[in-house]
Amino acid sequence: SSNFVDRVEFCRKPVWRKSILVWVLFAFVAQMSMAMPEWLVLVLGITGIVCFMLMMVPQIHKNWRSQSTDGMSLALVVMWHVSAVLSTAYFAASPNNSLAVTLSIAVFAVCCGVCEAQVVAYRPSRTNEKNSCCVVLGVSSLLHAVSAAVACALFAAFRAMPADATYVVGLVLPSILLGAGFLPQMYEFISRRSVQGYSFGVTVFDLVGSSANTAVIFGPAGVFTQEALKEAAPFLTIIAMHIVLLALAVLIKCCCSAGADTGSSKTVEVACAVAEC
């Protein structure tokens, strides 16, 4: 009970007094972390790992079905790919590394490579659509080889670098890249005034996985809320960015529907005017 009181007292510091909602949220999370059983923490951990591993699969499938990557931001995929390579090397080099976490991030990097290869294979200027699968296989294999070489070099560098520098390059920078990667996709939505081409299965997997990972961080008994929030910051950022992305998609859908209805009304008016003439 003393831990819970300490966490509540932290939430009542002057910096948080301006927001009652934040105080209630912190108190709830603190209580949840004390009450969560170990089996639930394990289930949530597995859920987070699997969701992160499979996150890009819906986008790969959508690109393959349409034989196009229009609407998917290449910048988003590249930034996530770089983030995954950095994170793979970081967790592999960490003394307390988790093999499951490292493998899940490595699989995510592989999926990003496949999406990048699809951009090359499904480009509008291609002349032979039958060879697209061979192009995807060849380009993705090359990208995977380069990614593996870079990850091995980073692994050796992280082993030799100071802990602070390793933390910044291996954990902070990938988190920034993951969050910033949403911006090109948002620009893609706005510039095209359409959400076509982006698979919201990516959003579903990422939201579920990030939520599960956040719960796992707060799950063990005795976790101090301030430290847990610091560790969960990347996942909370991802959740917030997906919410913004979804809100933008809904706004674009509504605006497009309204524009379509207006256009239909004008067409009917013109048709009636022509009929009267």
Side-chain angles (χ1 to χ4, degrees):
S1 58
S2 61
N3 284 336
F4 178 73
V5 173
D6 291 340
R7 293 171 190 174
V8 173
E9 287 300 322
F10 164 76
C11 299
R12 296 178 63 183
K13 288 182 179 180
V15 69
W16 301 110
R17 285 178 183 169
K18 294 181 180 179
S19 176
I20 297 176
L21 179 60
V22 172
W23 187 90
V24 172
L25 177 62
F26 276 41
F28 170 75
V29 169
Q31 182 61 41
M32 180 189 71
S33 69
M34 296 178 66
M36 189 180 295
E38 291 185 4
W39 66 267
L40 182 56
V41 174
L42 178 62
V43 171
L44 290 172
I46 295 174
T47 301
I49 290 173
V50 172
C51 286
F52 193 80
M53 185 186 301
L54 302 178
M55 186 170 63
M56 296 303 293
V57 171
Q59 186 65 56
I60 293 173
H61 181 260
K62 188 178 187 68
N63 295 344
W64 173 74
R65 287 286 301 272
S66 63
Q67 293 290 293
S68 172
T69 58
D70 288 344
M72 180 196 76
S73 172
L74 176 61
L76 173 140
V77 180
V78 170
M79 293 172 77
W80 283 5
H81 191 175
V82 174
S83 173
V85 172
L86 288 169
S87 296
T88 300
Y90 173 79
F91 284 104
S94 176
N96 301 320
N97 68 321
S98 169
L99 180 60
V101 172
T102 305
L103 287 177
S104 70
I105 300 174
V107 171
F108 174 66
V110 169
C111 291
C112 288
V114 173
C115 281
E116 291 161 351
Q118 287 179 323
V119 173
V120 177
Y122 303 149
R123 64 191 185 282
S125 60
R126 69 186 186 278
T127 56
N128 191 345
E129 296 184 3
K130 294 182 180 179
N131 293 333
S132 59
C133 289
C134 296
V135 174
V136 170
L137 181 60
V139 174
S140 61
S141 297
L142 176 61
L143 290 172
H144 297 157
V146 172
S147 297
V150 172
C152 290
L154 287 170
F155 173 84
F158 287 152
R159 288 283 189 172
M161 287 169 59
D164 292 342
T166 301
Y167 175 79
V168 171
V169 178
L171 194 61
V172 175
L173 180 58
S175 300
I176 294 174
L177 289 172
L178 282 175
F182 288 92
L183 299 178
Q185 188 61 56
M186 292 178 187
Y187 175 78
E188 192 80 16
F189 285 173
I190 295 172
S191 62
R192 295 167 58 91
R193 296 183 181 179
S194 171
V195 298
Q196 294 296 323
Y198 174 79
S199 174
F200 285 94
V202 175
T203 295
V204 172
F205 272 115
D206 209 5
L207 280 175
V208 173
S210 295
S211 300
N213 286 326
T214 300
V216 167
I217 292 172
F218 286 99
V223 173
F224 186 52
T225 307
Q226 185 178 11
E227 294 298 324
L229 279 173
K230 180 181 177 181
E231 188 176 351
F235 300 117
L236 295 174
T237 301
I238 290 172
I239 292 172
M241 295 299 285
H242 272 298
I243 292 174
V244 174
L245 191 71
L246 287 172
L248 180 61
V250 170
L251 180 62
I252 291 174
K253 279 285 189 181
C254 292
C255 290
C256 289
S257 299
D261 293 341
T262 303
S264 299
S265 300
K266 289 182 178 179
T267 302
V268 172
E269 290 176 2
V270 172
C272 291
V274 172
E276 288 176 0
C277 293

